[in-house]
Amino acid sequence: MRAASAVALAAAALLAGCGGGATAPATSPRTTPLSPQERHGRTLFVRSCGACHELADAGTHGSAGPSLDEHPWRDVYVREVIASGPGLMPAELLRGADADAVAGYVAAATKR
């Protein structure tokens, strides 16, 4: 019974995505201000994506997924990744306006 509980807990954590626990940094190292939608996207990114993905602008250090600091990301591509959920990432972890906000934020945060 104990093993079944452990498996169920692990499955629930995987299905919930990698988010949780972190908070957005009070200030951002960026020099260009974020739009209100991008600021909302940063908050959602930290909560839903930051435990798995490293992104300096968000102050996250996740290592289960790729670092997003290595090159610029286009918002259209980020939105597609959120929708499809490649690898262990759950598909549609965020939807609609929330997915758009995160995609816009990641694009702004990685713009060179």
Side-chain angles (χ1 to χ4, degrees):
M1 186 69 159
R2 182 173 262 172
S5 296
V7 170
L9 183 59
L14 179 62
L15 291 174
C18 293
T23 58
T27 59
S28 171
R30 75 176 32 269
T31 56
T32 305
L34 294 172
S35 71
Q37 181 184 21
E38 291 165 347
R39 284 194 306 270
H40 179 62
R42 178 173 51 192
T43 299
L44 292 170
F45 177 88
V46 169
R47 211 178 302 152
S48 301
C49 313
C52 289
H53 295 284
E54 177 180 28
L55 184 57
D57 187 84
T60 60
H61 304 286
S63 60
S67 171
L68 302 180
D69 289 318
E70 295 178 15
H71 59 79
W73 293 87
R74 292 180 42 225
D75 60 340
V76 171
Y77 180 72
V78 175
R79 184 64 172 92
E80 290 172 4
V81 169
I82 292 170
S84 66
L88 295 177
M89 181 176 160
E92 297 184 343
L93 182 60
L94 297 165
R95 296 178 184 185
D98 287 346
D100 292 340
V102 168
Y105 166 65
V106 170
T110 61
K111 190 180 291 183
R112 306 274 192 270

Coordinates of all heavy atoms in Angstrom, one line a residue:
M1 N 0.8 -1.2 0.0 CA 0.0 0.0 0.0 C 0.9 1.2 0.0 O 0.6 2.2 -0.7 CB -0.9 0.0 1.2 CG -1.9 1.1 1.2 SD -3.1 0.8 -0.1 CE -4.4 1.7 0.5
R2 N 2.0 1.2 0.8 CA 2.8 2.4 0.9 C 3.5 2.7 -0.5 O 3.6 3.8 -0.9 CB 3.9 2.1 1.9 CG 4.8 3.3 2.1 CD 5.7 3.1 3.3 NE 5.2 3.8 4.4 CZ 5.6 3.7 5.6 NH1 6.6 2.9 5.9 NH2 5.0 4.4 6.6
A3 N 3.9 1.6 -1.2 CA 4.5 1.8 -2.6 C 3.5 2.4 -3.5 O 3.8 3.3 -4.3 CB 5.0 0.5 -3.1
A4 N 2.2 2.0 -3.5 CA 1.2 2.6 -4.3 C 1.0 4.0 -4.0 O 0.8 4.8 -4.9 CB -0.1 1.8 -4.1
S5 N 1.0 4.4 -2.8 CA 0.9 5.8 -2.4 C 2.1 6.7 -3.0 O 1.9 7.8 -3.4 CB 0.8 6.0 -0.9 OG -0.3 5.4 -0.4
A6 N 3.3 6.1 -2.9 CA 4.4 6.8 -3.4 C 4.3 7.0 -4.9 O 4.7 8.1 -5.4 CB 5.7 6.1 -3.0
V7 N 3.9 6.0 -5.6 CA 3.7 6.0 -7.0 C 2.7 7.1 -7.4 O 2.8 7.9 -8.3 CB 3.4 4.7 -7.6 CG1 3.0 4.8 -9.1 CG2 4.6 3.7 -7.5
A8 N 1.6 7.1 -6.7 CA 0.5 8.0 -7.0 C 1.0 9.4 -6.7 O 0.7 10.4 -7.5 CB -0.7 7.7 -6.1
L9 N 1.7 9.7 -5.7 CA 2.3 11.0 -5.4 C 3.2 11.5 -6.4 O 3.2 12.6 -6.9 CB 2.9 11.0 -4.0 CG 3.5 12.3 -3.5 CD1 2.4 13.4 -3.4 CD2 4.1 12.2 -2.2
A10 N 4.1 10.6 -6.9 CA 5.0 10.9 -8.0 C 4.3 11.2 -9.3 O 4.6 12.2 -10.0 CB 6.0 9.8 -8.2
A11 N 3.3 10.5 -9.6 CA 2.5 10.7 -10.8 C 1.8 12.1 -10.7 O 1.7 12.8 -11.7 CB 1.5 9.6 -11.0
A12 N 1.2 12.4 -9.6 CA 0.5 13.6 -9.4 C 1.5 14.8 -9.6 O 1.2 15.8 -10.2 CB -0.1 13.7 -8.0
A13 N 2.7 14.7 -9.0 CA 3.7 15.7 -9.2 C 4.1 15.9 -10.6 O 4.2 17.0 -11.1 CB 5.0 15.4 -8.3
L14 N 4.3 14.8 -11.4 CA 4.6 14.9 -12.8 C 3.5 15.5 -13.6 O 3.7 16.4 -14.4 CB 4.9 13.5 -13.3 CG 5.3 13.4 -14.8 CD1 6.6 14.2 -15.1 CD2 5.5 12.0 -15.2
L15 N 2.3 15.1 -13.3 CA 1.1 15.7 -14.1 C 0.9 17.1 -13.7 O 0.4 17.9 -14.6 CB -0.1 14.9 -13.8 CG -0.1 13.5 -14.3 CD1 -1.4 12.7 -13.9 CD2 -0.1 13.5 -15.9
A16 N 1.3 17.6 -12.6 CA 1.1 19.0 -12.2 C 2.1 19.9 -12.8 O 2.0 21.1 -12.7 CB 1.2 19.1 -10.6
G17 N 3.1 19.3 -13.5 CA 4.2 20.1 -14.1 C 5.3 20.3 -13.1 O 5.3 19.7 -12.1
C18 N 6.2 21.2 -13.4 CA 7.3 21.5 -12.6 C 7.2 22.7 -11.8 O 8.1 23.1 -11.1 CB 8.6 21.6 -13.5 SG 9.0 20.0 -14.3
G19 N 6.0 23.4 -11.8 CA 5.9 24.6 -11.1 C 5.7 24.5 -9.6 O 5.6 23.4 -9.1
G20 N 5.7 25.6 -9.0 CA 5.4 25.7 -7.6 C 6.5 26.2 -6.7 O 7.6 26.1 -7.0
G21 N 6.1 26.9 -5.7 CA 7.0 27.3 -4.6 C 7.7 28.6 -4.8 O 8.0 29.3 -3.9
A22 N 8.2 28.9 -6.0 CA 9.0 30.1 -6.2 C 8.2 31.3 -6.4 O 7.0 31.3 -6.7 CB 9.9 29.9 -7.5
T23 N 8.8 32.5 -6.2 CA 8.2 33.7 -6.4 C 9.0 34.6 -7.3 O 10.2 34.4 -7.4 CB 8.0 34.5 -5.1 OG1 9.3 34.7 -4.5 CG2 7.1 33.8 -4.1
A24 N 8.4 35.5 -8.1 CA 9.1 36.3 -9.0 C 10.0 37.2 -8.3 O 9.7 37.7 -7.2 CB 8.1 37.1 -9.8
P25 N 11.2 37.6 -8.8 CA 12.1 38.5 -8.2 C 11.4 39.9 -8.1 O 10.6 40.3 -8.9 CB 13.3 38.5 -9.1 CG 12.8 38.0 -10.4 CD 11.6 37.1 -10.2
A26 N 11.8 40.6 -7.0 CA 11.2 41.9 -6.9 C 11.7 42.9 -8.0 O 10.9 43.7 -8.4 CB 11.6 42.5 -5.5
T27 N 12.9 42.7 -8.4 CA 13.4 43.5 -9.5 C 14.0 42.6 -10.6 O 14.4 41.5 -10.3 CB 14.5 44.5 -9.1 OG1 15.5 43.7 -8.5 CG2 13.9 45.5 -8.1
S28 N 14.0 43.1 -11.8 CA 14.5 42.3 -12.9 C 15.8 42.9 -13.4 O 16.0 44.1 -13.3 CB 13.4 42.3 -14.0 OG 14.0 41.8 -15.2
P29 N 16.8 42.1 -13.8 CA 18.0 42.6 -14.3 C 17.9 43.3 -15.7 O 18.9 43.9 -16.2 CB 18.9 41.4 -14.4 CG 18.0 40.2 -14.6 CD 16.7 40.6 -13.9
R30 N 16.7 43.3 -16.2 CA 16.5 43.9 -17.6 C 16.6 45.4 -17.5 O 16.4 46.0 -16.5 CB 15.2 43.4 -18.2 CG 14.0 44.1 -17.6 CD 12.7 43.7 -18.2 NE 12.6 42.4 -18.8 CZ 13.0 42.0 -20.0 NH1 13.4 42.9 -20.8 NH2 12.9 40.8 -20.4
T31 N 17.0 46.0 -18.7 CA 17.0 47.5 -18.8 C 15.7 48.0 -19.4 O 15.3 49.1 -19.2 CB 18.2 47.9 -19.6 OG1 18.2 47.3 -20.8 CG2 19.5 47.6 -18.8
T32 N 15.0 47.2 -20.2 CA 13.8 47.5 -20.9 C 12.6 47.1 -20.0 O 12.6 45.9 -19.6 CB 13.7 46.9 -22.2 OG1 14.8 47.2 -23.0 CG2 12.4 47.3 -22.9
P33 N 11.7 48.0 -19.6 CA 10.6 47.6 -18.8 C 9.7 46.6 -19.5 O 9.5 46.6 -20.7 CB 9.8 48.9 -18.5 CG 10.5 49.9 -19.3 CD 11.7 49.4 -20.0
L34 N 9.1 45.7 -18.7 CA 8.1 44.7 -19.2 C 6.8 45.4 -19.3 O 6.4 46.2 -18.5 CB 8.0 43.5 -18.3 CG 9.3 42.6 -18.2 CD1 9.1 41.6 -17.1 CD2 9.6 42.0 -19.5
S35 N 6.0 44.9 -20.3 CA 4.6 45.4 -20.4 C 3.8 44.7 -19.3 O 4.3 43.7 -18.7 CB 4.0 44.9 -21.7 OG 3.8 43.5 -21.8
P36 N 2.6 45.2 -19.0 CA 1.8 44.5 -17.9 C 1.6 43.0 -18.2 O 1.6 42.2 -17.3 CB 0.5 45.3 -18.0 CG 0.9 46.6 -18.4 CD 2.0 46.4 -19.4
Q37 N 1.3 42.6 -19.5 CA 1.1 41.2 -19.9 C 2.4 40.4 -19.6 O 2.4 39.3 -19.1 CB 0.7 41.1 -21.3 CG 0.5 39.6 -21.7 CD 0.1 39.4 -23.1 OE1 0.4 40.3 -24.0 NE2 -0.5 38.3 -23.4
E38 N 3.6 41.0 -20.0 CA 4.9 40.3 -19.8 C 5.2 40.2 -18.3 O 5.7 39.1 -17.9 CB 6.0 41.1 -20.5 CG 5.9 41.0 -22.0 CD 6.7 42.0 -22.7 OE1 7.3 43.0 -22.1 OE2 6.9 41.9 -23.9
R39 N 4.8 41.2 -17.5 CA 5.0 41.0 -16.0 C 4.1 39.9 -15.5 O 4.6 39.1 -14.6 CB 4.7 42.4 -15.3 CG 5.8 43.4 -15.4 CD 5.6 44.6 -14.5 NE 4.3 45.2 -14.5 CZ 4.0 46.2 -15.3 NH1 4.9 46.7 -16.2 NH2 2.8 46.8 -15.3
H40 N 2.9 39.8 -16.0 CA 2.0 38.7 -15.6 C 2.6 37.4 -16.0 O 2.6 36.4 -15.3 CB 0.6 38.9 -16.2 CG -0.4 37.8 -15.9 ND1 -0.8 37.5 -14.6 CD2 -1.0 37.0 -16.7 CE1 -1.6 36.5 -14.7 NE2 -1.8 36.1 -15.9
G41 N 3.2 37.4 -17.2 CA 3.8 36.2 -17.8 C 5.0 35.8 -16.9 O 5.2 34.6 -16.7
R42 N 5.8 36.7 -16.4 CA 6.9 36.4 -15.5 C 6.4 35.7 -14.2 O 6.9 34.7 -13.8 CB 7.7 37.6 -15.2 CG 8.9 37.3 -14.2 CD 9.8 38.4 -13.9 NE 9.2 39.6 -13.5 CZ 9.8 40.8 -13.4 NH1 11.0 40.9 -13.8 NH2 9.1 41.8 -13.0
T43 N 5.3 36.3 -13.6 CA 4.8 35.7 -12.4 C 4.3 34.2 -12.7 O 4.6 33.3 -11.9 CB 3.6 36.5 -11.9 OG1 4.1 37.8 -11.6 CG2 3.0 35.9 -10.7
L44 N 3.6 34.0 -13.8 CA 3.2 32.7 -14.2 C 4.4 31.8 -14.5 O 4.3 30.6 -14.2 CB 2.3 32.8 -15.4 CG 0.9 33.4 -15.2 CD1 0.2 33.6 -16.5 CD2 0.1 32.6 -14.2
F45 N 5.4 32.3 -15.2 CA 6.6 31.5 -15.5 C 7.2 31.0 -14.2 O 7.5 29.8 -14.1 CB 7.6 32.3 -16.3 CG 8.8 31.5 -16.6 CD1 8.9 30.7 -17.7 CD2 9.9 31.6 -15.7 CE1 10.0 30.0 -18.0 CE2 11.0 30.8 -16.0 CZ 11.1 30.0 -17.1
V46 N 7.4 31.9 -13.3 CA 8.1 31.5 -12.0 C 7.3 30.4 -11.3 O 7.8 29.4 -10.9 CB 8.3 32.7 -11.1 CG1 8.7 32.3 -9.7 CG2 9.3 33.7 -11.7
R47 N 6.0 30.6 -11.3 CA 5.1 29.6 -10.6 C 5.0 28.3 -11.3 O 4.9 27.2 -10.7 CB 3.7 30.3 -10.5 CG 2.9 29.8 -9.3 CD 1.6 30.5 -9.2 NE 1.7 31.9 -9.1 CZ 0.8 32.8 -9.5 NH1 -0.4 32.3 -10.0 NH2 0.9 34.1 -9.4
S48 N 4.9 28.3 -12.7 CA 4.5 27.1 -13.4 C 5.7 26.5 -14.2 O 5.6 25.3 -14.5 CB 3.4 27.4 -14.5 OG 2.3 27.9 -13.8
C49 N 6.8 27.2 -14.4 CA 7.9 26.8 -15.3 C 9.2 26.8 -14.6 O 10.1 26.1 -15.0 CB 7.9 27.6 -16.5 SG 6.3 27.8 -17.4
G50 N 9.4 27.7 -13.6 CA 10.7 28.0 -13.0 C 11.4 26.8 -12.3 O 12.6 26.8 -12.2
A51 N 10.6 25.9 -11.8 CA 11.2 24.8 -11.1 C 11.9 23.9 -12.1 O 12.8 23.1 -11.7 CB 10.2 24.0 -10.3
C52 N 11.6 23.9 -13.4 CA 12.2 23.1 -14.4 C 13.1 23.8 -15.3 O 14.0 23.2 -15.9 CB 11.1 22.4 -15.2 SG 10.2 21.1 -14.4
H53 N 12.9 25.1 -15.5 CA 13.7 25.9 -16.4 C 14.5 27.0 -15.8 O 13.9 27.8 -15.0 CB 12.8 26.5 -17.5 CG 12.1 25.5 -18.4 ND1 12.8 24.8 -19.4 CD2 10.8 25.1 -18.4 CE1 11.9 24.0 -19.9 NE2 10.7 24.1 -19.3
E54 N 15.7 27.2 -16.2 CA 16.5 28.3 -15.7 C 16.2 29.5 -16.6 O 16.2 29.3 -17.8 CB 18.0 27.9 -15.8 CG 18.9 29.1 -15.5 CD 20.4 28.7 -15.6 OE1 20.7 27.8 -16.4 OE2 21.2 29.3 -14.8
L55 N 16.0 30.6 -16.0 CA 15.8 31.9 -16.8 C 16.3 33.0 -15.8 O 15.6 33.3 -14.8 CB 14.4 32.1 -17.2 CG 14.1 33.3 -18.1 CD1 14.9 33.3 -19.3 CD2 12.6 33.3 -18.4
A56 N 17.4 33.6 -16.2 CA 18.0 34.6 -15.3 C 17.1 35.7 -15.0 O 17.0 36.2 -13.8 CB 19.3 35.1 -15.9
D57 N 16.4 36.2 -16.0 CA 15.5 37.3 -15.7 C 14.4 37.0 -14.7 O 14.0 37.9 -13.9 CB 14.8 37.7 -17.1 CG 14.0 39.0 -16.9 OD1 14.6 40.1 -17.0 OD2 12.8 38.9 -16.7
A58 N 14.0 35.8 -14.6 CA 12.9 35.4 -13.7 C 13.5 35.0 -12.3 O 12.8 34.7 -11.4 CB 12.1 34.2 -14.3
G59 N 14.9 34.8 -12.3 CA 15.5 34.4 -11.1 C 15.3 32.9 -10.8 O 15.4 32.5 -9.7
T60 N 15.0 32.1 -11.9 CA 14.8 30.7 -11.7 C 16.0 29.9 -12.0 O 16.8 30.3 -12.9 CB 13.6 30.2 -12.5 OG1 13.8 30.4 -13.9 CG2 12.3 30.9 -12.0
H61 N 16.1 28.7 -11.4 CA 17.3 27.9 -11.6 C 17.0 26.4 -11.9 O 17.8 25.5 -11.5 CB 18.3 28.0 -10.4 CG 18.6 29.4 -10.1 ND1 19.5 30.1 -10.9 CD2 18.2 30.3 -9.2 CE1 19.6 31.3 -10.4 NE2 18.8 31.5 -9.4
G62 N 15.8 26.1 -12.4 CA 15.4 24.7 -12.7 C 16.4 24.1 -13.6 O 17.0 24.7 -14.4
S63 N 16.5 22.7 -13.5 CA 17.4 22.0 -14.3 C 16.8 20.8 -15.0 O 17.5 20.1 -15.7 CB 18.6 21.6 -13.5 OG 18.3 20.7 -12.4
A64 N 15.5 20.5 -14.7 CA 14.9 19.4 -15.4 C 14.6 19.6 -16.9 O 14.7 18.7 -17.7 CB 13.6 19.0 -14.7
G65 N 14.4 20.9 -17.2 CA 14.2 21.3 -18.6 C 15.4 22.1 -19.1 O 16.2 22.4 -18.3
P66 N 15.4 22.5 -20.3 CA 16.5 23.2 -20.8 C 16.5 24.7 -20.2 O 15.5 25.2 -19.9 CB 16.3 23.3 -22.3 CG 14.8 23.0 -22.5 CD 14.4 22.2 -21.4
S67 N 17.8 25.2 -20.1 CA 17.9 26.6 -19.8 C 17.4 27.4 -20.9 O 17.7 27.2 -22.1 CB 19.4 26.9 -19.5 OG 19.6 28.3 -19.4
L68 N 16.6 28.5 -20.6 CA 16.1 29.3 -21.6 C 17.0 30.5 -21.9 O 16.6 31.4 -22.7 CB 14.7 29.8 -21.2 CG 13.7 28.6 -21.0 CD1 12.3 29.1 -20.6 CD2 13.6 27.7 -22.2
D69 N 18.1 30.6 -21.2 CA 19.0 31.8 -21.3 C 20.0 31.6 -22.5 O 20.7 32.5 -22.8 CB 19.8 32.0 -20.0 CG 19.0 32.5 -18.9 OD1 18.1 33.4 -19.2 OD2 19.1 32.0 -17.8
E70 N 20.0 30.4 -23.1 CA 21.1 30.1 -24.0 C 20.9 30.8 -25.4 O 21.9 31.1 -26.1 CB 21.2 28.6 -24.2 CG 21.7 28.0 -22.9 CD 21.9 26.5 -23.0 OE1 21.9 26.0 -24.1 OE2 22.0 25.9 -21.9
H71 N 19.7 31.2 -25.7 CA 19.4 31.9 -27.0 C 18.1 32.6 -27.0 O 17.3 32.3 -26.1 CB 19.6 31.0 -28.2 CG 18.6 29.8 -28.2 ND1 17.3 29.9 -28.6 CD2 18.8 28.5 -27.9 CE1 16.7 28.8 -28.5 NE2 17.6 27.9 -28.0
P72 N 17.8 33.5 -27.9 CA 16.5 34.2 -27.9 C 15.4 33.2 -28.3 O 15.6 32.3 -29.1 CB 16.7 35.3 -28.9 CG 18.1 35.3 -29.4 CD 18.8 34.0 -28.8
W73 N 14.2 33.4 -27.7 CA 13.1 32.6 -28.1 C 12.0 33.5 -28.7 O 11.7 34.6 -28.1 CB 12.5 32.0 -26.8 CG 13.4 30.9 -26.2 CD1 14.4 31.2 -25.3 CD2 13.4 29.6 -26.5 NE1 15.1 30.0 -25.0 CE2 14.5 29.0 -25.7 CE3 12.7 28.7 -27.3 CZ2 14.8 27.6 -25.8 CZ3 13.0 27.4 -27.3 CH2 14.0 26.8 -26.6
R74 N 11.4 33.1 -29.7 CA 10.2 33.8 -30.3 C 9.0 33.4 -29.6 O 8.8 32.2 -29.3 CB 10.1 33.4 -31.8 CG 11.3 34.0 -32.6 CD 11.2 33.7 -34.1 NE 9.9 33.9 -34.6 CZ 9.3 33.0 -35.4 NH1 10.0 31.9 -35.8 NH2 8.1 33.2 -35.9
D75 N 8.1 34.3 -29.3 CA 6.9 34.0 -28.6 C 6.0 33.0 -29.3 O 5.4 32.1 -28.6 CB 6.1 35.3 -28.3 CG 5.6 36.0 -29.5 OD1 6.2 35.9 -30.6 OD2 4.7 36.8 -29.3
V76 N 6.0 33.0 -30.6 CA 5.2 32.0 -31.3 C 5.7 30.6 -31.0 O 4.9 29.6 -30.8 CB 5.2 32.3 -32.8 CG1 4.6 31.1 -33.6 CG2 4.5 33.6 -33.1
Y77 N 7.0 30.4 -31.0 CA 7.6 29.1 -30.8 C 7.3 28.7 -29.3 O 7.0 27.5 -29.1 CB 9.1 29.1 -31.1 CG 9.7 27.7 -30.8 CD1 9.5 26.7 -31.6 CD2 10.5 27.5 -29.7 CE1 10.0 25.4 -31.4 CE2 11.1 26.3 -29.4 CZ 10.8 25.2 -30.3 OH 11.4 24.0 -30.0
V78 N 7.5 29.6 -28.4 CA 7.3 29.3 -27.0 C 5.8 28.8 -26.8 O 5.5 27.8 -26.1 CB 7.6 30.4 -26.0 CG1 7.2 30.1 -24.6 CG2 9.1 30.8 -26.1
R79 N 4.9 29.5 -27.4 CA 3.5 29.1 -27.3 C 3.2 27.7 -27.9 O 2.5 26.9 -27.3 CB 2.6 30.2 -28.1 CG 1.1 29.9 -28.0 CD 0.7 30.1 -26.6 NE -0.8 30.1 -26.5 CZ -1.5 29.0 -26.2 NH1 -0.9 27.8 -26.0 NH2 -2.8 29.1 -26.1
E80 N 3.9 27.4 -29.0 CA 3.8 26.0 -29.5 C 4.4 25.0 -28.5 O 3.8 23.9 -28.4 CB 4.5 25.9 -30.9 CG 3.9 26.7 -32.0 CD 4.7 26.7 -33.2 OE1 5.8 26.1 -33.3 OE2 4.3 27.4 -34.2
V81 N 5.5 25.3 -27.9 CA 6.1 24.3 -26.9 C 5.1 24.2 -25.7 O 4.9 23.0 -25.3 CB 7.5 24.9 -26.5 CG1 8.0 24.1 -25.3 CG2 8.5 24.8 -27.6
I82 N 4.6 25.2 -25.3 CA 3.6 25.1 -24.1 C 2.4 24.2 -24.5 O 2.0 23.4 -23.7 CB 3.1 26.5 -23.7 CG1 4.3 27.3 -23.1 CG2 2.0 26.4 -22.7 CD1 4.0 28.8 -22.8
A83 N 1.9 24.4 -25.7 CA 0.8 23.6 -26.2 C 1.1 22.1 -26.4 O 0.3 21.3 -26.0 CB 0.2 24.2 -27.5
S84 N 2.3 21.8 -26.9 CA 2.6 20.4 -27.2 C 3.3 19.7 -26.1 O 3.2 18.5 -26.0 CB 3.5 20.4 -28.5 OG 4.8 21.0 -28.2
G85 N 4.0 20.4 -25.2 CA 4.6 19.7 -24.1 C 5.6 18.7 -24.5 O 5.4 17.5 -24.2
P86 N 6.7 19.0 -25.1 CA 7.7 18.0 -25.5 C 8.4 17.3 -24.3 O 8.4 17.9 -23.2 CB 8.7 18.8 -26.3 CG 8.6 20.2 -25.8 CD 7.2 20.4 -25.4
G87 N 8.9 16.1 -24.5 CA 9.6 15.4 -23.5 C 8.7 15.1 -22.3 O 7.5 14.7 -22.4
L88 N 9.2 15.4 -21.1 CA 8.4 15.2 -19.9 C 7.5 16.4 -19.5 O 6.7 16.3 -18.6 CB 9.4 14.9 -18.7 CG 10.2 13.7 -18.8 CD1 11.2 13.6 -17.6 CD2 9.3 12.4 -18.9
M89 N 7.6 17.5 -20.3 CA 6.8 18.6 -20.0 C 5.3 18.3 -20.3 O 5.1 17.9 -21.4 CB 7.3 19.8 -20.9 CG 6.5 21.1 -20.6 SD 7.3 22.4 -21.6 CE 5.9 23.5 -21.7
P90 N 4.4 18.6 -19.4 CA 3.0 18.3 -19.7 C 2.5 19.3 -20.8 O 2.8 20.5 -20.8 CB 2.3 18.5 -18.4 CG 3.2 19.2 -17.5 CD 4.6 19.1 -18.1
A91 N 1.7 18.7 -21.7 CA 1.1 19.6 -22.8 C 0.1 20.5 -22.1 O -0.6 20.1 -21.1 CB 0.4 18.7 -23.8
E92 N 0.0 21.7 -22.6 CA -1.0 22.7 -22.2 C -0.9 22.9 -20.7 O -2.0 23.0 -20.0 CB -2.4 22.3 -22.6 CG -2.6 22.3 -24.1 CD -4.0 22.0 -24.6 OE1 -4.8 21.5 -23.8 OE2 -4.2 22.3 -25.8
L93 N 0.3 23.0 -20.2 CA 0.5 23.4 -18.8 C -0.2 24.7 -18.4 O -0.8 24.9 -17.4 CB 2.0 23.4 -18.4 CG 2.4 23.7 -17.0 CD1 1.8 22.7 -16.1 CD2 3.9 23.8 -16.9
L94 N -0.2 25.6 -19.4 CA -0.9 26.8 -19.3 C -1.7 26.9 -20.6 O -1.3 26.4 -21.7 CB 0.0 28.0 -19.2 CG 0.9 28.1 -18.0 CD1 2.0 29.0 -18.1 CD2 0.0 28.4 -16.8
R95 N -2.8 27.7 -20.6 CA -3.7 27.8 -21.7 C -4.1 29.2 -22.0 O -4.1 30.0 -21.0 CB -4.9 26.9 -21.6 CG -4.7 25.5 -21.5 CD -5.9 24.7 -21.3 NE -5.6 23.3 -21.1 CZ -6.5 22.4 -21.0 NH1 -7.8 22.7 -21.0 NH2 -6.2 21.1 -20.9
G96 N -4.6 29.5 -23.2 CA -5.1 30.8 -23.5 C -4.2 32.0 -23.2 O -3.1 32.0 -23.5
A97 N -4.8 33.0 -22.5 CA -4.1 34.2 -22.2 C -2.9 34.0 -21.3 O -1.9 34.7 -21.4 CB -5.1 35.2 -21.6
D98 N -3.0 33.0 -20.4 CA -1.9 32.7 -19.6 C -0.7 32.2 -20.4 O 0.5 32.6 -20.2 CB -2.2 31.7 -18.5 CG -3.1 32.3 -17.4 OD1 -3.2 33.6 -17.3 OD2 -3.7 31.5 -16.6
A99 N -1.0 31.3 -21.3 CA 0.1 30.7 -22.2 C 0.7 31.9 -23.0 O 1.9 32.0 -23.2 CB -0.4 29.6 -23.1
D100 N -0.2 32.7 -23.5 CA 0.3 33.9 -24.3 C 1.2 34.8 -23.5 O 2.2 35.3 -24.0 CB -0.9 34.7 -24.9 CG -1.7 33.9 -26.0 OD1 -1.1 32.9 -26.5 OD2 -2.8 34.2 -26.2
A101 N 0.8 35.0 -22.3 CA 1.6 35.9 -21.4 C 3.0 35.3 -21.1 O 4.0 36.1 -21.2 CB 0.8 36.2 -20.1
V102 N 3.0 34.0 -20.8 CA 4.3 33.4 -20.6 C 5.2 33.4 -21.9 O 6.4 33.7 -21.8 CB 4.1 32.0 -20.1 CG1 5.5 31.2 -20.1 CG2 3.6 32.0 -18.6
A103 N 4.6 33.1 -23.0 CA 5.3 33.1 -24.3 C 5.9 34.5 -24.5 O 7.0 34.7 -24.9 CB 4.4 32.7 -25.4
G104 N 5.1 35.6 -24.3 CA 5.5 36.9 -24.5 C 6.6 37.3 -23.6 O 7.6 38.0 -23.9
Y105 N 6.5 36.9 -22.3 CA 7.5 37.1 -21.3 C 8.8 36.5 -21.7 O 9.9 37.1 -21.6 CB 7.1 36.7 -19.9 CG 8.2 36.7 -19.0 CD1 8.9 37.9 -18.7 CD2 8.7 35.5 -18.5 CE1 10.0 37.8 -17.9 CE2 9.9 35.5 -17.7 CZ 10.5 36.6 -17.4 OH 11.6 36.6 -16.6
V106 N 8.8 35.2 -22.0 CA 10.1 34.5 -22.3 C 10.7 35.1 -23.6 O 11.9 35.3 -23.6 CB 9.8 32.9 -22.6 CG1 11.0 32.3 -23.2 CG2 9.3 32.3 -21.3
A107 N 9.9 35.5 -24.5 CA 10.5 36.2 -25.7 C 11.2 37.5 -25.3 O 12.3 37.8 -25.7 CB 9.4 36.4 -26.8
A108 N 10.5 38.3 -24.4 CA 11.1 39.6 -24.0 C 12.3 39.3 -23.1 O 13.3 40.1 -23.2 CB 10.0 40.3 -23.2
A109 N 12.3 38.3 -22.2 CA 13.4 38.1 -21.3 C 14.6 37.6 -22.0 O 15.7 37.7 -21.5 CB 12.9 37.1 -20.3
T110 N 14.4 36.9 -23.2 CA 15.6 36.3 -23.9 C 16.0 37.2 -25.1 O 16.9 36.8 -25.8 CB 15.3 34.9 -24.3 OG1 14.2 34.9 -25.2 CG2 15.1 34.0 -23.1
K111 N 15.3 38.3 -25.3 CA 15.7 39.1 -26.5 C 17.1 39.7 -26.3 O 17.5 40.1 -25.2 CB 14.7 40.3 -26.5 CG 14.8 41.1 -27.8 CD 13.8 42.2 -27.8 CE 12.4 41.6 -28.0 NZ 11.4 42.6 -28.1
R112 N 17.9 39.6 -27.3 CA 19.3 40.1 -27.3 C 19.4 41.4 -27.9 O 18.8 41.8 -28.8 CB 20.2 39.1 -27.9 CG 20.1 37.6 -27.4 CD 21.0 37.5 -26.2 NE 21.1 36.1 -25.8 CZ 20.3 35.4 -24.9 NH1 19.3 36.0 -24.5 NH2 20.5 34.2 -24.6

